[in-house]
Amino acid sequence: MVSAEAGGEFEVEVVYALPGGQTLLLLRVAAGTTVGEAIVRSGVLAQYPEIQTDGLRAGIFGRLCALDTPLNAGDRVEIYRPLIVEPKEARRRRARIKKLNKTDT
């Protein structure tokens, strides 16, 4: 990662993905800006009011991080939606359905 010089500005991306597509917002921020501050400044919370600010989960390039994590030039801030089904449980359900389908034939 490239760090911004002290007092300088740099660009970051803020991304929110939905099943039908994603919203990618380019944002110019000052050195020392945090993930949470970038999310607020991007306007994505106003654009998607369903985003829960309590317990908001975000990451940089696919790695979960705290909202108070400082950003570097070129970072991609990703806002994560809550899981509807825990991944292990989803795999169990698919395996049960597959097993049932095999016994039906």
Side-chain angles (χ1 to χ4, degrees), residues 81-96:
R81 292 180 290 128
L83 295 175
I84 296 171
V85 177
E86 196 269 326
K88 287 183 183 178
E89 178 59 28
R91 283 191 294 275
R92 282 189 211 107
R93 288 179 186 178
R94 287 191 303 270
R96 277 194 299 261

Side-chain angles (χ1 to χ4, degrees), residues 18-31:
L18 293 166
Q22 73 175 1
T23 297
L24 186 145
L25 303 160
L26 288 174
L27 187 65
R28 192 151 188 81
V29 298

Side-chain angles (χ1 to χ4, degrees), residues 14-18 21-24 44 48 50-51 79-81:
V14 176
V15 181
Y16 182 59
L18 293 166
Q22 73 175 1
T23 297
L24 186 145
V44 72
Y48 296 99
E50 71 272 12
I51 297 175
I79 301 169
Y80 303 129
R81 292 180 290 128

